[in-house]
Amino acid sequence: LSGAHSTGILRARMGSTRLPGKVMADIHGKPMLQRVLERVKMARLVDTVLIATTCLPEDDMLCEWAAKYEYPFYRGKQLDVLDRYYQAAFAARADRIVRITSDCPLIDPELIDRAIEIHQETGVDYVSDSVQPMLPVGESVEVFWFRGLKCAWQNAILEYERVHVTPYFYRNPDKFTLEALGISGDYREHRWTVDTAQDLEFVQCLYAVAGDEEACLHWRDTLAIVDSNPQLKSINGHVKQKKLEEC
């Protein structure tokens, strides 16, 4: 189990309902997608990282950017994200899959390693904070076997299951073995994902306040910065996370 190859797969596209083009939005001198990819690559236990994008012409620039910085990518369906994700994993011959979303530029590399370690030690089908949500929104990491992804790909029929890739895992605990990250404390009131202009402003201002990108590398350090600068939280504290069914 511990010897299985860990493949990080990020879905990314230029189209976004609430904030088009957000994956390439500037955050402290780098596109958001680069911020996420660099953090994922900092995780000790991630072996390779792959971008899963669409075949739409608007995503040509993403592929050109990925090629320039030597990130492998796969192009697939726009709306059936589960199919795109599965096909990307299949093409990469992925075994253990690490899923991070491209709109989480504050993802903590140590959390990624923690999730992989739990997966290595337990061999369960699915490890994630989603099993018992406690982390700030935007710190979620999911680790699962390719065989589980294939099962979801073959059986998921609801629209939100196809759009969000992994709900079939944690909404079917009778079919899969699940494990939480075991975070003590409840930090769900904090919103660190980027889905709106206010979310983007929050992250940009956070980096401006931190002054050093290493200062907000780990989630507890970010939490300390936010707690010390309450004006940050007011920027996007009113933004509501879309429910799964709100595809």
Side-chain angles (χ1 to χ4, degrees), residues 110-158:
E110 289 186 0
L111 280 179
I112 298 173
D113 281 333
R114 179 173 181 168
I116 296 173
E117 285 172 345
I118 293 173
H119 196 254
Q120 289 176 337
E121 294 166 1
T122 63
V124 296
D125 295 313
Y126 177 85
V127 176
S128 177
D129 180 61
S130 301
V131 176
Q132 188 180 10
M134 289 295 178
L135 287 166
V137 179
E139 287 294 334
S140 181
V141 53
E142 300 168 288
V143 182
F144 45 89
W145 296 113
F146 175 79
R147 62 175 181 265
L149 178 63
K150 183 176 182 179
C151 178
W153 174 70
Q154 290 174 326
N155 296 288
I157 57 174
L158 300 176

Side-chain angles (χ1 to χ4, degrees), residues 1-241:
L1 295 176
S2 61
H5 193 85
S6 297
T7 304
I9 303 180
L10 284 72
R11 62 170 187 167
R13 64 188 183 95
M14 292 299 291
S16 168
T17 305
R18 300 169 94 177
L19 189 61
K22 65 181 182 180
V23 293
M24 297 304 286
D26 180 82
I27 297 177
H28 204 62
K30 296 179 181 179
M32 180 164 70
L33 181 58
Q34 185 174 352
R35 288 280 174 201
V36 180
L37 287 164
E38 288 179 350
R39 284 168 171 255
V40 175
K41 292 189 73 174
M42 287 180 193
R44 296 176 295 103
L45 301 177
V46 174
D47 298 299
T48 57
V49 184
L50 170 72
I51 300 169
T53 190
T54 82
C55 292
L56 295 177
E58 65 189 48
D59 288 322
D60 288 350
M61 67 173 295
L62 274 186
C63 298
E64 292 168 3
W65 180 89
K68 178 181 178 180
Y69 291 97
E70 300 183 339
Y71 285 105
F73 59 88
Y74 172 86
R75 306 189 76 167
K77 295 180 180 178
Q78 172 194 5
L79 300 179
D80 189 348
V81 187
L82 177 54
D83 180 78
R84 188 202 320 165
Y85 207 89
Y86 169 79
Q87 299 297 345
F90 181 82
R93 298 183 179 181
D95 185 13
R96 174 183 288 117
I97 299 167
V98 182
R99 179 174 182 257
I100 308 292
T101 54
S102 59
D103 53 6
C104 295
L106 296 171
I107 188 68
D108 186 337
E110 289 186 0
L111 280 179
I112 298 173
D113 281 333
R114 179 173 181 168
I116 296 173
E117 285 172 345
I118 293 173
H119 196 254
Q120 289 176 337
E121 294 166 1
T122 63
V124 296
D125 295 313
Y126 177 85
V127 176
S128 177
D129 180 61
S130 301
V131 176
Q132 188 180 10
M134 289 295 178
L135 287 166
V137 179
E139 287 294 334
S140 181
V141 53
E142 300 168 288
V143 182
F144 45 89
W145 296 113
F146 175 79
R147 62 175 181 265
L149 178 63
K150 183 176 182 179
C151 178
W153 174 70
Q154 290 174 326
N155 296 288
I157 57 174
L158 300 176
E159 182 184 6
Y160 75 85
E161 293 175 332
R162 309 299 298 192
V163 169
H164 295 289
V165 182
T166 53
Y168 192 80
F169 281 94
Y170 53 84
R171 293 208 166 180
N172 288 282
D174 56 321
K175 296 182 179 180
F176 301 100
T177 50
L178 313 175
E179 193 72 42
L181 292 185
I183 303 299
S184 59
D186 188 344
Y187 305 94
R188 289 174 293 173
E189 67 183 83
H190 295 276
R191 180 178 175 81
W192 300 348
T193 190
V194 176
D195 197 32
T196 68
Q198 291 83 8
D199 294 330
L200 178 60
E201 182 184 355
F202 164 80
V203 177
Q204 291 171 333
C205 289
L206 174 69
Y207 269 94
V209 168
D212 176 5
E213 57 188 68
E214 294 295 322
C216 48
L217 181 60
H218 303 297
W219 77 274
R220 290 193 181 278
D221 294 332
T222 301
L223 185 66
I225 294 171
V226 174
D227 286 344
S228 299
N229 298 272
Q231 74 277 10
L232 288 172
K233 194 175 177 182
S234 66
I235 296 173
N236 67 337
H238 63 286
V239 178
K240 301 297 182 183
Q241 183 72 0

